[in-house]
Amino acid sequence: DIVMTQTPLSLSVTPGQPASISCKSSQSLLHSNGKTYLYWFLQKPGQSPQLLIYEVSSRFSGVPDRFSGSGSGTEFTLTVSRVEAEDVGVYYCMQGVQFPLTFGGGTNVEIK
Amino acid sequence: QVQLQESGPGLVKPSQTLSLTCTVSGDSISSGTYYWRWIRQPAGKGLEWIGHIYTSGTTNYNPSLKSRVTISIDTSKNQFSLNLSSVTAADTAVYYCARGSGYWGQGTLVTVSS
């Protein structure tokens, strides 16, 4: 199984400031079709996970442009350019290049 | 707008079979090329992919659960289902259904207890 490792485990951010979360995979997430299957989700308190970013850097429908994803191969980053109060929750990365699909352990983001 | 809703018993006895159904609205389950997924989350823990069924009926399961899992699809009802046999307390979790990665149900808590 591909192991997904997220850092940090938790993050406390001042509103308006940037935040970054790292996700590293134990194997490359580059598929033979040229796509890299790395996803980012946010699970707000008491809610289902919601997709933010797919295939490393594409924002899902309705996701604010303050969220961006970058990376390649085995190292990826989610960046929130200016954190807002509604961005609190647990962020997860997930790989979709190989079964079983696997998730990172999550990064808990809170507002200072 | 695609919506998914999980349904099924909230309490299952140990050794019995957990059965959940996901009803899809706003999209035809037989159209498109999507993975219809089940994911679970024990309380206070992370996410675990259980498996999925493709529109064609092809399935893939998590090897950690493979011997106990069956996912099926009912196009006439626009639903897909999860059966997990021989459950134990370790299967207690919130169970989510999803279309691909983008659309998730609200989740349903299933507790395994006698």
Side-chain angles (χ1 to χ4, degrees):
Chain A
D1 298 4
I2 295 177
V3 177
M4 306 296 288
T5 303
Q6 283 182 238
T7 54
L9 290 180
S10 64
L11 203 50
S12 184
V13 187
T14 300
Q17 293 301 302
S20 290
I21 299 169
S22 171
C23 177
K24 294 184 180 180
S25 57
S26 60
Q27 300 175 37
S28 174
L29 303 188
L30 176 63
H31 193 275
S32 57
N33 65 8
K35 294 182 179 181
T36 299
Y37 292 100
L38 185 282
Y39 303 79
W40 289 100
F41 298 87
L42 166 59
Q43 186 172 30
K44 296 183 178 181
Q47 296 186 18
S48 311
Q50 58 188 77
L51 179 64
L52 298 174
I53 302 287
Y54 64 96
E55 294 172 17
V56 180
S57 60
S58 296
R59 270 187 302 276
F60 188 58
S61 174
V63 175
D65 61 8
R66 65 179 181 273
F67 291 93
S68 63
S70 62
S72 64
T74 62
E75 298 193 7
F76 306 93
T77 302
L78 174 72
T79 300
V80 187
S81 59
R82 296 172 304 280
V83 172
E84 297 187 5
E86 65 181 23
D87 301 335
V88 298
V90 181
Y91 290 75
Y92 294 96
C93 59
M94 184 197 82
Q95 66 81 17
V97 74
Q98 179 186 109
F99 300 136
L101 307 186
T102 48
F103 293 86
T107 295
N108 186 52
V109 173
E110 63 175 27
I111 299 296
K112 282 184 181 175
Chain B
Q1 177 75 0
V2 180
Q3 292 186 318
L4 299 95
Q5 179 67 58
E6 305 88 353
S7 60
L11 180 64
V12 181
K13 288 181 166 47
S15 80
Q16 294 190 341
T17 296
L18 178 161
S19 295
L20 296 175
T21 296
C22 183
T23 301
V24 180
S25 58
D27 185 23
S28 170
I29 204 168
S30 58
S31 69
T33 54
Y34 297 112
Y35 290 111
W36 301 94
R37 294 178 178 169
W38 288 98
I39 302 104
R40 69 181 183 178
Q41 184 174 36
K45 296 189 178 180
L47 299 162
E48 180 182 31
W49 175 76
I50 299 170
H52 58 221
I53 188 164
Y54 201 52
T55 305
S56 64
T58 301
T59 54
N60 295 98
Y61 301 132
N62 194 320
S64 67
L65 301 168
K66 186 173 183 178
S67 62
R68 300 193 290 129
V69 174
T70 303
I71 297 175
S72 58
I73 198 165
D74 186 338
T75 56
S76 67
K77 295 181 179 178
N78 223 37
Q79 296 174 335
F80 64 106
S81 298
L82 168 70
N83 278 353
L84 181 65
S85 64
S86 305
V87 297
T88 69
D91 296 308
T92 294
V94 174
Y95 286 75
Y96 297 100
C97 61
R99 190 193 85 173
S101 294
Y103 297 94
W104 294 56
Q106 66 184 27
T108 187
L109 173 62
V110 178
T111 301
V112 178
S113 175
S114 55

Short mmCIF file of all heavy atoms in Angstrom, two decimals, chain A residues 39 41 43 47-49 51 60 92 94 99-101 103, chain B residues 37 41 45 47 49 52 60 96 101-106:
data_model
loop_
_atom_site.label_atom_id
_atom_site.label_comp_id
_atom_site.label_asym_id
_atom_site.label_seq_id
_atom_site.Cartn_x
_atom_site.Cartn_y
_atom_site.Cartn_z
N TYR A 39 -4.97 14.16 -4.23
CA TYR A 39 -6.17 14.94 -3.91
C TYR A 39 -6.02 15.54 -2.52
O TYR A 39 -5.37 14.97 -1.64
CB TYR A 39 -7.41 14.04 -3.92
CG TYR A 39 -7.63 13.31 -5.24
CD1 TYR A 39 -6.89 12.17 -5.56
CD2 TYR A 39 -8.57 13.77 -6.15
CE1 TYR A 39 -7.08 11.52 -6.76
CE2 TYR A 39 -8.77 13.11 -7.36
CZ TYR A 39 -8.02 11.99 -7.65
OH TYR A 39 -8.21 11.34 -8.85
N PHE A 41 -8.56 17.15 0.64
CA PHE A 41 -9.90 17.30 1.18
C PHE A 41 -9.84 18.13 2.46
O PHE A 41 -8.84 18.11 3.18
CB PHE A 41 -10.50 15.94 1.54
CG PHE A 41 -10.66 15.00 0.38
CD1 PHE A 41 -9.61 14.16 0.00
CD2 PHE A 41 -11.86 14.93 -0.32
CE1 PHE A 41 -9.75 13.30 -1.06
CE2 PHE A 41 -12.00 14.06 -1.39
CZ PHE A 41 -10.95 13.24 -1.76
N GLN A 43 -12.22 18.43 5.93
CA GLN A 43 -13.37 17.96 6.70
C GLN A 43 -13.62 18.98 7.81
O GLN A 43 -12.91 19.02 8.81
CB GLN A 43 -13.12 16.57 7.28
CG GLN A 43 -14.35 16.00 7.96
CD GLN A 43 -14.18 14.54 8.37
OE1 GLN A 43 -13.09 14.08 8.68
NE2 GLN A 43 -15.29 13.80 8.38
N GLN A 47 -18.85 17.60 9.60
CA GLN A 47 -19.26 17.46 8.21
C GLN A 47 -18.51 16.34 7.50
O GLN A 47 -17.54 15.79 8.02
CB GLN A 47 -19.03 18.78 7.45
CG GLN A 47 -19.88 19.93 7.95
CD GLN A 47 -19.72 21.17 7.07
OE1 GLN A 47 -19.26 21.10 5.93
NE2 GLN A 47 -20.10 22.32 7.61
N SER A 48 -19.00 16.02 6.30
CA SER A 48 -18.29 15.07 5.44
C SER A 48 -17.07 15.77 4.85
O SER A 48 -17.04 16.99 4.74
CB SER A 48 -19.19 14.66 4.28
OG SER A 48 -20.45 14.27 4.69
N PRO A 49 -16.08 14.99 4.47
CA PRO A 49 -14.95 15.60 3.74
C PRO A 49 -15.45 16.24 2.44
O PRO A 49 -16.39 15.75 1.82
CB PRO A 49 -14.05 14.39 3.44
CG PRO A 49 -14.39 13.40 4.51
CD PRO A 49 -15.86 13.57 4.73
N LEU A 51 -14.02 17.87 -1.30
CA LEU A 51 -12.86 17.92 -2.19
C LEU A 51 -12.46 19.37 -2.45
O LEU A 51 -13.29 20.21 -2.81
CB LEU A 51 -13.20 17.23 -3.51
CG LEU A 51 -12.11 17.21 -4.58
CD1 LEU A 51 -10.90 16.41 -4.11
CD2 LEU A 51 -12.66 16.64 -5.89
N PHE A 60 -11.46 22.09 -7.30
CA PHE A 60 -12.79 21.54 -7.56
C PHE A 60 -13.78 22.69 -7.67
O PHE A 60 -13.53 23.81 -7.20
CB PHE A 60 -13.18 20.58 -6.45
CG PHE A 60 -14.46 19.81 -6.70
CD1 PHE A 60 -14.59 19.00 -7.82
CD2 PHE A 60 -15.53 19.90 -5.83
CE1 PHE A 60 -15.75 18.29 -8.07
CE2 PHE A 60 -16.71 19.19 -6.06
CZ PHE A 60 -16.82 18.39 -7.19
N TYR A 92 -6.98 16.46 4.64
CA TYR A 92 -6.44 15.16 4.28
C TYR A 92 -5.94 15.17 2.84
O TYR A 92 -6.59 15.73 1.95
CB TYR A 92 -7.51 14.07 4.36
CG TYR A 92 -8.05 13.78 5.73
CD1 TYR A 92 -9.23 14.37 6.18
CD2 TYR A 92 -7.39 12.88 6.58
CE1 TYR A 92 -9.73 14.08 7.44
CE2 TYR A 92 -7.88 12.59 7.84
CZ TYR A 92 -9.06 13.20 8.26
OH TYR A 92 -9.55 12.91 9.51
N MET A 94 -4.93 12.43 -0.30
CA MET A 94 -5.29 11.07 -0.70
C MET A 94 -4.62 10.76 -2.03
O MET A 94 -4.53 11.63 -2.90
CB MET A 94 -6.80 10.94 -0.87
CG MET A 94 -7.27 9.52 -1.20
SD MET A 94 -8.94 9.44 -1.88
CE MET A 94 -8.63 9.84 -3.61
N PHE A 99 -4.62 1.01 -6.09
CA PHE A 99 -5.49 0.44 -5.06
C PHE A 99 -4.65 -0.29 -4.03
O PHE A 99 -3.67 -0.95 -4.39
CB PHE A 99 -6.48 -0.53 -5.69
CG PHE A 99 -7.37 0.08 -6.73
CD1 PHE A 99 -7.63 -0.58 -7.92
CD2 PHE A 99 -7.96 1.33 -6.53
CE1 PHE A 99 -8.44 -0.02 -8.89
CE2 PHE A 99 -8.77 1.90 -7.50
CZ PHE A 99 -9.02 1.22 -8.68
N PRO A 100 -4.99 -0.21 -2.74
CA PRO A 100 -6.11 0.57 -2.20
C PRO A 100 -5.81 2.06 -2.16
O PRO A 100 -4.67 2.46 -1.95
CB PRO A 100 -6.25 0.01 -0.78
CG PRO A 100 -4.85 -0.37 -0.41
CD PRO A 100 -4.24 -0.91 -1.68
N LEU A 101 -6.86 2.86 -2.41
CA LEU A 101 -6.70 4.29 -2.20
C LEU A 101 -6.34 4.50 -0.74
O LEU A 101 -6.88 3.85 0.15
CB LEU A 101 -8.01 5.01 -2.52
CG LEU A 101 -8.66 4.74 -3.88
CD1 LEU A 101 -9.87 5.64 -4.07
CD2 LEU A 101 -7.67 4.90 -5.01
N PHE A 103 -5.21 7.48 2.45
CA PHE A 103 -5.26 8.86 2.91
C PHE A 103 -4.11 9.16 3.86
O PHE A 103 -3.60 8.26 4.55
CB PHE A 103 -6.57 9.10 3.68
CG PHE A 103 -7.81 9.03 2.85
CD1 PHE A 103 -8.44 7.80 2.62
CD2 PHE A 103 -8.38 10.17 2.32
CE1 PHE A 103 -9.60 7.72 1.86
CE2 PHE A 103 -9.56 10.11 1.57
CZ PHE A 103 -10.15 8.88 1.33
N ARG B 37 -18.13 5.01 -4.47
CA ARG B 37 -17.23 4.58 -3.40
C ARG B 37 -17.90 4.47 -2.04
O ARG B 37 -18.89 5.13 -1.76
CB ARG B 37 -16.09 5.61 -3.25
CG ARG B 37 -15.18 5.68 -4.43
CD ARG B 37 -14.12 6.76 -4.23
NE ARG B 37 -13.20 6.78 -5.36
CZ ARG B 37 -12.32 7.74 -5.58
NH1 ARG B 37 -12.22 8.75 -4.73
NH2 ARG B 37 -11.53 7.69 -6.62
N GLN B 41 -14.89 6.05 8.60
CA GLN B 41 -14.09 6.84 9.52
C GLN B 41 -14.48 6.52 10.95
O GLN B 41 -15.52 6.97 11.43
CB GLN B 41 -14.30 8.34 9.23
CG GLN B 41 -13.44 9.26 10.05
CD GLN B 41 -13.59 10.71 9.63
OE1 GLN B 41 -14.67 11.15 9.27
NE2 GLN B 41 -12.49 11.45 9.67
N LYS B 45 -10.82 9.38 14.19
CA LYS B 45 -9.71 8.85 13.41
C LYS B 45 -9.80 9.29 11.94
O LYS B 45 -10.65 10.09 11.57
CB LYS B 45 -9.68 7.33 13.53
CG LYS B 45 -9.41 6.85 14.95
CD LYS B 45 -9.18 5.36 15.01
CE LYS B 45 -8.86 4.92 16.43
NZ LYS B 45 -8.63 3.46 16.53
N LEU B 47 -9.54 8.56 7.56
CA LEU B 47 -10.42 7.98 6.54
C LEU B 47 -9.83 6.69 5.98
O LEU B 47 -8.63 6.59 5.74
CB LEU B 47 -10.60 9.00 5.41
CG LEU B 47 -11.24 10.33 5.84
CD1 LEU B 47 -10.97 11.41 4.81
CD2 LEU B 47 -12.74 10.14 6.03
N TRP B 49 -10.56 3.93 2.82
CA TRP B 49 -11.29 3.53 1.62
C TRP B 49 -11.68 2.07 1.75
O TRP B 49 -10.84 1.22 2.00
CB TRP B 49 -10.41 3.76 0.40
CG TRP B 49 -10.97 3.28 -0.90
CD1 TRP B 49 -11.95 3.85 -1.65
CD2 TRP B 49 -10.55 2.12 -1.63
NE1 TRP B 49 -12.16 3.13 -2.81
CE2 TRP B 49 -11.31 2.06 -2.82
CE3 TRP B 49 -9.59 1.12 -1.42
CZ2 TRP B 49 -11.15 1.05 -3.77
CZ3 TRP B 49 -9.43 0.13 -2.37
CH2 TRP B 49 -10.21 0.10 -3.53
N HIS B 52 -14.96 0.34 -4.18
CA HIS B 52 -15.86 1.04 -5.06
C HIS B 52 -16.34 0.13 -6.19
O HIS B 52 -15.80 -0.96 -6.39
CB HIS B 52 -15.23 2.31 -5.64
CG HIS B 52 -13.96 2.09 -6.40
ND1 HIS B 52 -12.87 2.93 -6.30
CD2 HIS B 52 -13.60 1.15 -7.31
CE1 HIS B 52 -11.90 2.51 -7.09
NE2 HIS B 52 -12.34 1.43 -7.72
N ASN B 60 -13.52 -2.89 -6.96
CA ASN B 60 -12.21 -2.97 -6.33
C ASN B 60 -12.41 -2.79 -4.84
O ASN B 60 -13.18 -1.92 -4.42
CB ASN B 60 -11.26 -1.89 -6.85
CG ASN B 60 -10.93 -2.04 -8.32
OD1 ASN B 60 -11.53 -1.39 -9.17
ND2 ASN B 60 -10.01 -2.92 -8.61
N TYR B 96 -19.36 6.58 4.76
CA TYR B 96 -19.70 7.55 3.72
C TYR B 96 -19.78 6.85 2.36
O TYR B 96 -18.96 5.98 2.05
CB TYR B 96 -18.63 8.62 3.60
CG TYR B 96 -18.42 9.50 4.80
CD1 TYR B 96 -17.36 9.27 5.67
CD2 TYR B 96 -19.26 10.59 5.05
CE1 TYR B 96 -17.14 10.09 6.77
CE2 TYR B 96 -19.05 11.42 6.15
CZ TYR B 96 -17.99 11.16 7.01
OH TYR B 96 -17.78 11.98 8.09
N SER B 101 -14.35 11.46 -6.15
CA SER B 101 -13.83 12.17 -4.99
C SER B 101 -14.63 13.42 -4.67
O SER B 101 -14.49 13.99 -3.59
CB SER B 101 -12.37 12.57 -5.24
OG SER B 101 -11.55 11.43 -5.34
N GLY B 102 -15.48 13.85 -5.61
CA GLY B 102 -16.08 15.17 -5.49
C GLY B 102 -17.39 15.29 -4.73
O GLY B 102 -17.70 16.36 -4.21
N TYR B 103 -18.14 14.23 -4.66
CA TYR B 103 -19.47 14.30 -4.04
C TYR B 103 -19.61 13.20 -3.00
O TYR B 103 -19.48 12.03 -3.31
CB TYR B 103 -20.57 14.20 -5.10
CG TYR B 103 -20.52 15.34 -6.08
CD1 TYR B 103 -19.83 15.22 -7.28
CD2 TYR B 103 -21.12 16.56 -5.78
CE1 TYR B 103 -19.74 16.28 -8.16
CE2 TYR B 103 -21.04 17.63 -6.66
CZ TYR B 103 -20.34 17.48 -7.84
OH TYR B 103 -20.26 18.54 -8.71
N TRP B 104 -19.91 13.63 -1.77
CA TRP B 104 -20.00 12.71 -0.64
C TRP B 104 -21.38 12.81 0.00
O TRP B 104 -21.99 13.88 0.02
CB TRP B 104 -18.96 13.05 0.43
CG TRP B 104 -17.53 12.87 0.03
CD1 TRP B 104 -16.90 13.43 -1.04
CD2 TRP B 104 -16.56 12.09 0.71
NE1 TRP B 104 -15.58 13.04 -1.07
CE2 TRP B 104 -15.35 12.22 0.00
CE3 TRP B 104 -16.58 11.30 1.86
CZ2 TRP B 104 -14.16 11.58 0.39
CZ3 TRP B 104 -15.41 10.67 2.26
CH2 TRP B 104 -14.22 10.82 1.53
N GLY B 105 -21.83 11.69 0.57
CA GLY B 105 -23.00 11.73 1.41
C GLY B 105 -22.65 12.33 2.76
O GLY B 105 -21.49 12.62 3.05
N GLN B 106 -23.66 12.51 3.59
CA GLN B 106 -23.43 13.11 4.91
C GLN B 106 -22.84 12.12 5.90
O GLN B 106 -22.35 12.51 6.96
CB GLN B 106 -24.74 13.67 5.46
CG GLN B 106 -25.79 12.61 5.77
CD GLN B 106 -27.11 13.23 6.22
OE1 GLN B 106 -27.45 14.35 5.88
NE2 GLN B 106 -27.87 12.48 7.00
#
